[in-house]
Structure formats: structure tokens, C-alpha cells
Amino acid sequence: MFNINRFALVLFVVTVFFPGCTATRPEKICGADDLRCLVAEYSNLIARDPRDLNSYLGRAAALQKSRDLDAAVADCTKALSIGPKEIRAYRLRGSIYFEQRKLVEAIDDFERLTKLEPDVAENFRLFGEAHQAKGNYDHALTAINQAIALDANNVRSYLARGRQYRLTRKFDDALSDLFKAIQLEPDYARSYVERCKLYTATKQFDLAMSDCKRSVELRSPRMPSSPIQRQPECMRQKAIFPMRSQNMTVRSNGFLKTVSFTSCVVPHCCGKTDPTEQKQILTRPSSLIRIIRPHSRAVECHLFQ
């Protein structure tokens, strides 16, 4: 009886004073994709323990995916008020600022990361990419070189430096880095997107189109061969990546003209295999290749004739 009472006392103390230790984490209740549920469950945890730093960060991540970026930043800032050296909060808030194109704020947060964790390559890559987006190319190259020095097998660092060389028109160096990235991870779609942009800049349109198509293949889910078996997966993918009808003004033979196109991210769900969709546009380019990435999990290549 004494042991039972002692156990009950310990359980009472833990439940009252450390509620996060006994609460079921929202991911187990909601799953990873139900963002509204995740926000609600993390809010419940915060109501129970307003000093629960992990719950603020969890809710911030869910809010970021829900595109409520200002609220996500507020939760990261609150987490930092609880733990001023919380690395995850600086990394998450910096990435949100980067999405919002608040590049000065993003640079500040990523710079803090490099000081808190000076031996982590990813921190310097993020710091360099923020400078790169701001146009501070010298600072960007210094940071990205440091990232590669810390981890010579980091694919994303080579992509960042390849993009840096392309932007500064050092095309041979850019191609070398992009080949290195593909050598390290041949099935990483972003590498082909970056090389497609490089080939476009150097007017090698056949190679650009090949890389563009390869990136779409890698991003698309593996589908059953039968259209009937494909239907459930296509419905799910179209909910994530809907078709988009867009207009774009381009210059052709000295004149401006409007080109209409329909984008489809999942090729197996487009065209004749699915009569509810319009045919995917994929034509041989003569003057323009444009890469559009409206969603972090999608790569779309639109080739205009």
C-alpha cells in the first residue's frame, strides 16, 4: 500500500507541476498532416503550461505549414523569450523570415545560429543563402564556403554555391558545383532544377529541358500503371498540387505577347490518362525556360515556344 501511495503522489506531482511530461504529443493525436488539429492541440498544451517552449515551437511549425507566417514568428519569438539560446527557434524563425522576404531579419537569426553552433555546416549555408537573396554576394560566398569546409558532402551547400556562381556569371564554376551535387545525391530534384537554370542562362536549351523533365519525374509520386488504380492517388496529389491556369507576358521577336498555360505538377495525373484535367504543356523551347516553384514540395517546369 505504501508503494502504491508513493507512486500516486509522484504521478500527482508530475501531472501538476510538469504537465508536458504526461501529455500526449499532438503528432500522435493528429498525425503530421492535419495542421488545424496540430495548432489546436499545441494551443491546449500551451494553455496548460504557458512556459512550454516545445509547444510554442511545435505550433509555430504547424502555423508555418498553414501559411500563417506572422503567427508562427510570434510563437518563435515567445519561445526565445523563454529560452534565449534556443537554436531551433532561431532556425525556424529565420526560415520564416526568409519566406516572407524579410531578409535583414533572416540574416540576423542565421548569424546567431553560426555563433551558437559554429561547427554546424547547415547554419552557415542558411546564413549564406540569406545574404545571397539580399544580393550580398561576397558575404554569401564566404558563408557557403565555410559550410562546405565543415561538411564536404552537403548537397545543398554545393547547390547554394552553384547558384551563387550562376548569379555572378561564373558559369564553369557553377556547373562544377552542380555536377558535384548530383554526384553526391543523384535523385535529388533540386539539383536538376538548379542545373536547368544554369543551362538556360548559357542558352543550352536541350540540356535545360532534359534536366527540367528529370526534376519533375523525381518530384512526382510513383503511380500504378492502370488509370483506374491511379485515381485515388491522383485525387490526393491534385488536392496538394492543384492545376493552375496562368498568363505570362514574354518578349518574342521584339514584341510583347501574352502566353497562356496550364501547369500540372504530377504528370501521371495529367493529359489523356485523366480526362478531368487539361493536357500538360511541355514544348521545345526556343527562347525562354521558366522554373516556377509555388510550393516547397513541387517543382514545375514550363517550357515556352
Side-chain angles (χ1 to χ4, degrees):
M1 180 65 68
F2 173 75
N3 289 337
I4 294 175
N5 289 339
R6 185 170 60 181
F7 174 76
L9 178 61
V10 171
L11 182 62
F12 172 78
V13 171
V14 170
T15 303
V16 172
F17 294 101
F18 304 97
C21 296
T22 58
T24 302
R25 300 309 297 174
E27 288 77 5
K28 292 185 177 180
I29 298 173
C30 306
D33 297 326
D34 191 343
L35 301 178
R36 183 176 298 179
C37 176
L38 285 171
V39 170
E41 289 297 324
Y42 276 119
S43 297
N44 290 336
L45 290 178
I46 291 170
R48 292 175 61 182
D49 181 8
R51 301 286 298 173
D52 184 0
L53 180 150
N54 290 322
S55 293
Y56 283 107
L57 291 178
R59 189 171 69 176
L63 289 167
Q64 181 189 27
K65 292 178 182 178
S66 302
R67 315 310 302 156
D68 192 350
L69 300 183
D70 289 336
V73 166
D75 272 356
C76 290
T77 303
K78 180 63 177 179
L80 286 169
S81 71
I82 299 170
K85 295 185 178 181
E86 178 54 53
I87 291 169
R88 295 171 299 164
Y90 283 116
R91 183 175 290 117
L92 181 57
R93 191 174 70 174
S95 68
I96 297 170
Y97 280 142
F98 190 88
E99 284 188 66
Q100 294 178 309
R101 311 308 291 173
K102 296 180 178 179
L103 298 176
V104 173
E105 292 85 347
I107 288 170
D108 287 343
D109 275 356
F110 292 144
E111 185 176 18
R112 287 177 181 269
L113 281 180
T114 64
K115 294 177 179 179
L116 290 170
E117 285 186 328
D119 297 329
V120 176
E122 187 72 0
N123 296 338
F124 285 93
R125 180 188 67 81
L126 293 170
F127 185 42
E129 287 186 337
H131 272 299
Q132 187 181 91
K134 184 69 173 172
N136 304 329
Y137 293 139
D138 290 340
H139 292 300
L141 186 59
T142 299
I144 296 169
N145 282 338
Q146 179 64 19
I148 292 174
L150 289 169
D151 183 0
N153 295 314
N154 190 313
V155 173
R156 299 184 74 177
S157 294
Y158 284 105
L159 292 183
R161 194 169 69 178
R163 186 185 314 115
Q164 169 80 15
Y165 286 140
R166 172 173 60 82
L167 292 171
T168 54
R169 305 190 66 79
K170 297 179 180 179
F171 295 135
D172 290 340
D173 292 333
L175 189 61
S176 176
D177 274 352
L178 297 179
F179 268 111
K180 177 67 174 179
I182 291 172
Q183 179 185 6
L184 289 171
E185 194 171 337
D187 294 332
Y188 189 40
R190 279 190 59 187
S191 301
Y192 295 93
V193 172
E194 286 296 334
R195 197 170 66 177
C196 175
K197 293 179 180 180
L198 175 62
Y199 283 142
T200 302
T202 56
K203 303 186 185 304
Q204 300 178 75
F205 296 120
D206 288 339
L207 294 173
M209 183 165 63
S210 177
D211 275 355
C212 184
K213 291 169 67 176
R214 179 59 178 154
S215 72
V216 172
E217 291 171 0
L218 291 171
R219 290 280 184 165
S220 301
R222 296 186 180 275
M223 293 284 187
S225 58
S226 166
I228 296 177
Q229 294 175 331
R230 271 203 302 266
Q231 189 173 5
E233 179 62 18
C234 284
M235 293 294 290
R236 188 181 75 84
Q237 289 296 323
K238 284 183 287 186
I240 299 174
F241 307 126
M243 297 284 288
R244 297 175 178 84
S245 296
Q246 303 181 49
N247 294 323
M248 180 180 179
T249 301
V250 299
R251 183 175 294 277
S252 177
N253 298 325
F255 296 95
L256 292 176
K257 66 177 182 178
T258 299
V259 178
S260 298
F261 61 91
T262 301
S263 63
C264 179
V265 179
V266 187
H268 298 288
C269 297
C270 305
K272 295 180 181 179
T273 60
D274 187 346
T276 64
E277 297 293 5
Q278 300 180 41
K279 187 176 181 181
Q280 184 185 26
I281 294 178
L282 194 65
T283 57
R284 183 182 179 88
S286 59
S287 60
L288 176 66
I289 296 180
R290 186 186 183 202
I291 307 299
I292 301 177
R293 299 185 64 232
H295 192 286
S296 61
R297 288 178 291 175
V299 174
E300 300 174 51
C301 300
H302 302 291
L303 311 172
F304 302 97
Q305 207 161 17

Short mmCIF file of all heavy atoms in Angstrom, two decimals, residues 140-186:
data_model
loop_
_atom_site.label_atom_id
_atom_site.label_comp_id
_atom_site.label_asym_id
_atom_site.label_seq_id
_atom_site.Cartn_x
_atom_site.Cartn_y
_atom_site.Cartn_z
N ALA A 140 27.83 36.13 -48.90
CA ALA A 140 27.20 34.84 -49.19
C ALA A 140 28.26 33.79 -49.51
O ALA A 140 28.23 32.67 -48.97
CB ALA A 140 26.22 34.98 -50.35
N LEU A 141 29.19 34.12 -50.38
CA LEU A 141 30.21 33.15 -50.78
C LEU A 141 31.09 32.74 -49.61
O LEU A 141 31.44 31.57 -49.46
CB LEU A 141 31.06 33.74 -51.91
CG LEU A 141 32.09 32.78 -52.54
CD1 LEU A 141 31.39 31.55 -53.11
CD2 LEU A 141 32.89 33.49 -53.62
N THR A 142 31.43 33.70 -48.76
CA THR A 142 32.25 33.39 -47.58
C THR A 142 31.54 32.39 -46.68
O THR A 142 32.13 31.40 -46.21
CB THR A 142 32.56 34.67 -46.79
OG1 THR A 142 33.30 35.57 -47.62
CG2 THR A 142 33.37 34.36 -45.54
N ALA A 143 30.24 32.61 -46.43
CA ALA A 143 29.49 31.73 -45.55
C ALA A 143 29.31 30.34 -46.16
O ALA A 143 29.45 29.32 -45.48
CB ALA A 143 28.12 32.35 -45.25
N ILE A 144 29.00 30.29 -47.46
CA ILE A 144 28.78 28.99 -48.10
C ILE A 144 30.08 28.21 -48.20
O ILE A 144 30.10 26.98 -48.03
CB ILE A 144 28.14 29.20 -49.49
CG1 ILE A 144 26.75 29.83 -49.33
CG2 ILE A 144 28.01 27.86 -50.22
CD1 ILE A 144 26.13 30.32 -50.63
N ASN A 145 31.18 28.89 -48.46
CA ASN A 145 32.48 28.20 -48.45
C ASN A 145 32.77 27.60 -47.08
O ASN A 145 33.33 26.49 -46.98
CB ASN A 145 33.60 29.18 -48.84
CG ASN A 145 33.66 29.42 -50.34
OD1 ASN A 145 33.18 28.61 -51.12
ND2 ASN A 145 34.26 30.52 -50.73
N GLN A 146 32.40 28.31 -46.03
CA GLN A 146 32.58 27.78 -44.68
C GLN A 146 31.71 26.55 -44.45
O GLN A 146 32.14 25.58 -43.82
CB GLN A 146 32.26 28.86 -43.64
CG GLN A 146 32.41 28.41 -42.19
CD GLN A 146 33.84 28.05 -41.82
OE1 GLN A 146 34.78 28.44 -42.51
NE2 GLN A 146 34.01 27.31 -40.73
N ALA A 147 30.50 26.58 -44.98
CA ALA A 147 29.61 25.41 -44.86
C ALA A 147 30.22 24.20 -45.53
O ALA A 147 30.20 23.08 -44.99
CB ALA A 147 28.25 25.74 -45.47
N ILE A 148 30.80 24.38 -46.71
CA ILE A 148 31.42 23.26 -47.44
C ILE A 148 32.69 22.80 -46.73
O ILE A 148 32.99 21.60 -46.68
CB ILE A 148 31.70 23.67 -48.89
CG1 ILE A 148 30.38 23.87 -49.64
CG2 ILE A 148 32.58 22.64 -49.60
CD1 ILE A 148 30.52 24.41 -51.04
N ALA A 149 33.43 23.73 -46.13
CA ALA A 149 34.62 23.35 -45.37
C ALA A 149 34.26 22.48 -44.17
O ALA A 149 35.00 21.55 -43.81
CB ALA A 149 35.37 24.61 -44.91
N LEU A 150 33.11 22.76 -43.56
CA LEU A 150 32.67 21.98 -42.40
C LEU A 150 32.07 20.64 -42.81
O LEU A 150 32.15 19.66 -42.06
CB LEU A 150 31.63 22.78 -41.60
CG LEU A 150 32.16 23.98 -40.83
CD1 LEU A 150 31.01 24.84 -40.31
CD2 LEU A 150 33.05 23.52 -39.67
N ASP A 151 31.46 20.58 -43.98
CA ASP A 151 30.84 19.33 -44.45
C ASP A 151 30.96 19.29 -45.97
O ASP A 151 30.17 19.90 -46.69
CB ASP A 151 29.37 19.26 -44.02
CG ASP A 151 28.70 17.96 -44.43
OD1 ASP A 151 29.38 17.10 -45.05
OD2 ASP A 151 27.50 17.78 -44.14
N ALA A 152 31.94 18.53 -46.44
CA ALA A 152 32.22 18.49 -47.89
C ALA A 152 31.24 17.62 -48.65
O ALA A 152 31.35 17.51 -49.87
CB ALA A 152 33.63 17.97 -48.11
N ASN A 153 30.29 16.99 -47.96
CA ASN A 153 29.31 16.13 -48.63
C ASN A 153 27.88 16.66 -48.52
O ASN A 153 26.93 15.91 -48.71
CB ASN A 153 29.38 14.71 -48.05
CG ASN A 153 30.69 14.03 -48.33
OD1 ASN A 153 31.18 14.07 -49.46
ND2 ASN A 153 31.28 13.41 -47.32
N ASN A 154 27.75 17.93 -48.20
CA ASN A 154 26.43 18.54 -48.07
C ASN A 154 25.94 19.02 -49.43
O ASN A 154 26.46 20.00 -49.98
CB ASN A 154 26.49 19.71 -47.07
CG ASN A 154 25.11 20.23 -46.72
OD1 ASN A 154 24.28 20.45 -47.60
ND2 ASN A 154 24.86 20.42 -45.44
N VAL A 155 24.96 18.31 -49.98
CA VAL A 155 24.47 18.60 -51.32
C VAL A 155 23.94 20.02 -51.42
O VAL A 155 24.21 20.75 -52.38
CB VAL A 155 23.38 17.59 -51.72
CG1 VAL A 155 22.73 17.98 -53.04
CG2 VAL A 155 23.98 16.20 -51.82
N ARG A 156 23.17 20.45 -50.43
CA ARG A 156 22.52 21.76 -50.50
C ARG A 156 23.53 22.90 -50.47
O ARG A 156 23.29 23.97 -51.02
CB ARG A 156 21.50 21.89 -49.38
CG ARG A 156 20.40 20.83 -49.47
CD ARG A 156 19.34 21.01 -48.42
NE ARG A 156 18.48 22.13 -48.72
CZ ARG A 156 17.44 22.47 -47.97
NH1 ARG A 156 17.13 21.76 -46.89
NH2 ARG A 156 16.69 23.50 -48.29
N SER A 157 24.67 22.67 -49.85
CA SER A 157 25.71 23.71 -49.86
C SER A 157 26.29 23.88 -51.25
O SER A 157 26.55 25.00 -51.70
CB SER A 157 26.82 23.35 -48.86
OG SER A 157 26.33 23.38 -47.53
N TYR A 158 26.51 22.76 -51.96
CA TYR A 158 27.01 22.86 -53.34
C TYR A 158 25.97 23.52 -54.24
O TYR A 158 26.32 24.29 -55.14
CB TYR A 158 27.38 21.48 -53.87
CG TYR A 158 28.68 20.96 -53.31
CD1 TYR A 158 28.69 19.98 -52.34
CD2 TYR A 158 29.90 21.48 -53.74
CE1 TYR A 158 29.89 19.50 -51.81
CE2 TYR A 158 31.10 21.01 -53.22
CZ TYR A 158 31.09 20.02 -52.25
OH TYR A 158 32.28 19.57 -51.73
N LEU A 159 24.68 23.24 -54.00
CA LEU A 159 23.65 23.90 -54.79
C LEU A 159 23.64 25.39 -54.53
O LEU A 159 23.48 26.20 -55.46
CB LEU A 159 22.28 23.31 -54.45
CG LEU A 159 22.01 21.87 -54.88
CD1 LEU A 159 20.59 21.47 -54.52
CD2 LEU A 159 22.26 21.67 -56.36
N ALA A 160 23.81 25.78 -53.27
CA ALA A 160 23.83 27.20 -52.92
C ALA A 160 25.01 27.90 -53.58
O ALA A 160 24.89 29.01 -54.12
CB ALA A 160 23.89 27.37 -51.41
N ARG A 161 26.18 27.24 -53.58
CA ARG A 161 27.34 27.87 -54.20
C ARG A 161 27.22 27.87 -55.72
O ARG A 161 27.62 28.82 -56.39
CB ARG A 161 28.64 27.19 -53.76
CG ARG A 161 29.87 28.02 -54.10
CD ARG A 161 31.12 27.48 -53.44
NE ARG A 161 31.53 26.19 -54.00
CZ ARG A 161 32.62 25.54 -53.62
NH1 ARG A 161 33.39 26.04 -52.67
NH2 ARG A 161 32.94 24.37 -54.15
N GLY A 162 26.63 26.79 -56.27
CA GLY A 162 26.39 26.78 -57.71
C GLY A 162 25.47 27.91 -58.14
O GLY A 162 25.68 28.56 -59.17
N ARG A 163 24.42 28.15 -57.33
CA ARG A 163 23.52 29.27 -57.62
C ARG A 163 24.26 30.59 -57.51
O ARG A 163 24.07 31.50 -58.31
CB ARG A 163 22.35 29.24 -56.64
CG ARG A 163 21.26 30.27 -56.93
CD ARG A 163 20.19 30.28 -55.85
NE ARG A 163 19.77 28.93 -55.51
CZ ARG A 163 19.98 28.37 -54.31
NH1 ARG A 163 20.59 29.05 -53.35
NH2 ARG A 163 19.57 27.14 -54.06
N GLN A 164 25.14 30.69 -56.50
CA GLN A 164 25.93 31.90 -56.32
C GLN A 164 26.81 32.17 -57.54
O GLN A 164 26.85 33.30 -58.06
CB GLN A 164 26.82 31.72 -55.08
CG GLN A 164 27.90 32.76 -54.89
CD GLN A 164 27.37 34.03 -54.29
OE1 GLN A 164 26.28 34.07 -53.77
NE2 GLN A 164 28.16 35.10 -54.39
N TYR A 165 27.47 31.15 -58.04
CA TYR A 165 28.32 31.33 -59.22
C TYR A 165 27.50 31.67 -60.46
O TYR A 165 27.93 32.46 -61.30
CB TYR A 165 29.14 30.06 -59.47
CG TYR A 165 30.29 29.87 -58.50
CD1 TYR A 165 30.58 28.59 -58.01
CD2 TYR A 165 31.09 30.93 -58.10
CE1 TYR A 165 31.64 28.39 -57.13
CE2 TYR A 165 32.14 30.74 -57.22
CZ TYR A 165 32.41 29.47 -56.74
OH TYR A 165 33.46 29.28 -55.87
N ARG A 166 26.29 31.08 -60.56
CA ARG A 166 25.43 31.42 -61.71
C ARG A 166 25.02 32.88 -61.65
O ARG A 166 25.04 33.59 -62.67
CB ARG A 166 24.20 30.52 -61.74
CG ARG A 166 23.17 30.93 -62.80
CD ARG A 166 22.05 29.93 -62.90
NE ARG A 166 21.33 29.77 -61.66
CZ ARG A 166 20.36 30.56 -61.22
NH1 ARG A 166 20.02 31.64 -61.92
NH2 ARG A 166 19.74 30.30 -60.08
N LEU A 167 24.65 33.35 -60.47
CA LEU A 167 24.20 34.73 -60.33
C LEU A 167 25.32 35.72 -60.62
O LEU A 167 25.07 36.84 -61.06
CB LEU A 167 23.65 34.96 -58.92
CG LEU A 167 22.34 34.23 -58.60
CD1 LEU A 167 22.01 34.34 -57.11
CD2 LEU A 167 21.19 34.77 -59.43
N THR A 168 26.56 35.31 -60.34
CA THR A 168 27.70 36.18 -60.61
C THR A 168 28.37 35.83 -61.94
O THR A 168 29.48 36.29 -62.21
CB THR A 168 28.72 36.09 -59.46
OG1 THR A 168 29.08 34.71 -59.25
CG2 THR A 168 28.15 36.67 -58.19
N ARG A 169 27.67 34.99 -62.74
CA ARG A 169 28.07 34.65 -64.11
C ARG A 169 29.41 33.93 -64.19
O ARG A 169 30.15 34.03 -65.17
CB ARG A 169 28.07 35.90 -65.01
CG ARG A 169 26.73 36.64 -65.03
CD ARG A 169 26.68 37.71 -66.08
NE ARG A 169 26.73 37.14 -67.43
CZ ARG A 169 25.68 36.58 -68.06
NH1 ARG A 169 24.50 36.50 -67.45
NH2 ARG A 169 25.82 36.10 -69.28
N LYS A 170 29.73 33.15 -63.18
CA LYS A 170 30.88 32.26 -63.22
C LYS A 170 30.35 30.86 -63.58
O LYS A 170 30.26 29.97 -62.72
CB LYS A 170 31.61 32.27 -61.88
CG LYS A 170 32.19 33.63 -61.51
CD LYS A 170 32.89 33.60 -60.15
CE LYS A 170 33.46 34.97 -59.80
NZ LYS A 170 34.13 34.96 -58.46
N PHE A 171 30.00 30.69 -64.83
CA PHE A 171 29.23 29.52 -65.24
C PHE A 171 30.01 28.22 -65.12
O PHE A 171 29.43 27.19 -64.79
CB PHE A 171 28.73 29.73 -66.67
CG PHE A 171 27.75 30.87 -66.82
CD1 PHE A 171 27.87 31.77 -67.86
CD2 PHE A 171 26.73 31.05 -65.90
CE1 PHE A 171 26.97 32.82 -68.00
CE2 PHE A 171 25.83 32.11 -66.02
CZ PHE A 171 25.95 33.00 -67.07
N ASP A 172 31.31 28.23 -65.40
CA ASP A 172 32.09 27.00 -65.29
C ASP A 172 32.15 26.51 -63.84
O ASP A 172 32.01 25.32 -63.56
CB ASP A 172 33.51 27.22 -65.83
CG ASP A 172 33.52 27.38 -67.35
OD1 ASP A 172 32.53 26.97 -68.00
OD2 ASP A 172 34.50 27.95 -67.87
N ASP A 173 32.37 27.45 -62.93
CA ASP A 173 32.39 27.07 -61.51
C ASP A 173 31.02 26.58 -61.06
O ASP A 173 30.92 25.64 -60.27
CB ASP A 173 32.82 28.27 -60.66
CG ASP A 173 34.27 28.66 -60.88
OD1 ASP A 173 35.07 27.77 -61.25
OD2 ASP A 173 34.61 29.85 -60.69
N ALA A 174 29.97 27.22 -61.55
CA ALA A 174 28.61 26.80 -61.20
C ALA A 174 28.34 25.38 -61.67
O ALA A 174 27.81 24.54 -60.92
CB ALA A 174 27.59 27.76 -61.82
N LEU A 175 28.73 25.08 -62.90
CA LEU A 175 28.49 23.74 -63.44
C LEU A 175 29.25 22.69 -62.65
O LEU A 175 28.73 21.60 -62.38
CB LEU A 175 28.89 23.70 -64.91
CG LEU A 175 28.51 22.44 -65.69
CD1 LEU A 175 27.00 22.26 -65.70
CD2 LEU A 175 29.04 22.50 -67.12
N SER A 176 30.47 23.01 -62.25
CA SER A 176 31.27 22.08 -61.46
C SER A 176 30.58 21.74 -60.13
O SER A 176 30.50 20.58 -59.73
CB SER A 176 32.65 22.67 -61.19
OG SER A 176 33.42 21.83 -60.35
N ASP A 177 30.05 22.76 -59.45
CA ASP A 177 29.37 22.53 -58.18
C ASP A 177 28.07 21.73 -58.37
O ASP A 177 27.74 20.86 -57.54
CB ASP A 177 29.06 23.85 -57.49
CG ASP A 177 30.23 24.33 -56.64
OD1 ASP A 177 31.20 23.57 -56.47
OD2 ASP A 177 30.18 25.47 -56.14
N LEU A 178 27.34 22.01 -59.43
CA LEU A 178 26.08 21.30 -59.65
C LEU A 178 26.32 19.84 -60.03
O LEU A 178 25.57 18.95 -59.61
CB LEU A 178 25.25 22.02 -60.71
CG LEU A 178 24.82 23.44 -60.33
CD1 LEU A 178 24.02 24.08 -61.45
CD2 LEU A 178 24.02 23.43 -59.03
N PHE A 179 27.36 19.58 -60.79
CA PHE A 179 27.72 18.19 -61.08
C PHE A 179 28.13 17.47 -59.79
O PHE A 179 27.80 16.29 -59.60
CB PHE A 179 28.86 18.13 -62.10
CG PHE A 179 28.38 18.04 -63.52
CD1 PHE A 179 28.56 19.10 -64.39
CD2 PHE A 179 27.75 16.90 -63.99
CE1 PHE A 179 28.12 19.02 -65.72
CE2 PHE A 179 27.30 16.81 -65.29
CZ PHE A 179 27.49 17.88 -66.17
N LYS A 180 28.82 18.17 -58.92
CA LYS A 180 29.20 17.58 -57.63
C LYS A 180 27.97 17.24 -56.80
O LYS A 180 27.89 16.16 -56.19
CB LYS A 180 30.10 18.56 -56.88
CG LYS A 180 30.52 18.08 -55.48
CD LYS A 180 31.43 16.88 -55.53
CE LYS A 180 31.95 16.51 -54.15
NZ LYS A 180 32.83 15.32 -54.17
N ALA A 181 27.00 18.13 -56.78
CA ALA A 181 25.76 17.88 -56.03
C ALA A 181 25.04 16.65 -56.57
O ALA A 181 24.56 15.81 -55.81
CB ALA A 181 24.86 19.11 -56.10
N ILE A 182 24.95 16.53 -57.89
CA ILE A 182 24.26 15.39 -58.50
C ILE A 182 25.04 14.10 -58.26
O ILE A 182 24.46 13.03 -58.05
CB ILE A 182 24.03 15.65 -60.00
CG1 ILE A 182 22.99 16.77 -60.17
CG2 ILE A 182 23.57 14.38 -60.72
CD1 ILE A 182 22.82 17.24 -61.60
N GLN A 183 26.36 14.19 -58.26
CA GLN A 183 27.18 13.03 -57.96
C GLN A 183 26.94 12.54 -56.54
O GLN A 183 26.87 11.33 -56.28
CB GLN A 183 28.66 13.37 -58.16
CG GLN A 183 29.62 12.23 -57.85
CD GLN A 183 31.08 12.66 -57.93
OE1 GLN A 183 31.38 13.83 -58.11
NE2 GLN A 183 31.98 11.72 -57.79
N LEU A 184 26.81 13.46 -55.61
CA LEU A 184 26.58 13.09 -54.21
C LEU A 184 25.20 12.49 -53.99
O LEU A 184 25.03 11.57 -53.19
CB LEU A 184 26.76 14.32 -53.31
CG LEU A 184 28.19 14.83 -53.13
CD1 LEU A 184 28.18 16.17 -52.40
CD2 LEU A 184 29.03 13.80 -52.36
N GLU A 185 24.19 13.04 -54.68
CA GLU A 185 22.80 12.58 -54.49
C GLU A 185 22.07 12.65 -55.83
O GLU A 185 21.41 13.64 -56.13
CB GLU A 185 22.10 13.43 -53.44
CG GLU A 185 20.81 12.82 -52.93
CD GLU A 185 20.24 13.56 -51.74
OE1 GLU A 185 21.01 14.24 -51.03
OE2 GLU A 185 19.02 13.45 -51.52
N PRO A 186 22.16 11.57 -56.62
CA PRO A 186 21.64 11.62 -57.99
C PRO A 186 20.13 11.80 -58.10
O PRO A 186 19.65 12.21 -59.15
CB PRO A 186 22.06 10.25 -58.57
CG PRO A 186 23.16 9.78 -57.68
CD PRO A 186 22.87 10.33 -56.33
#
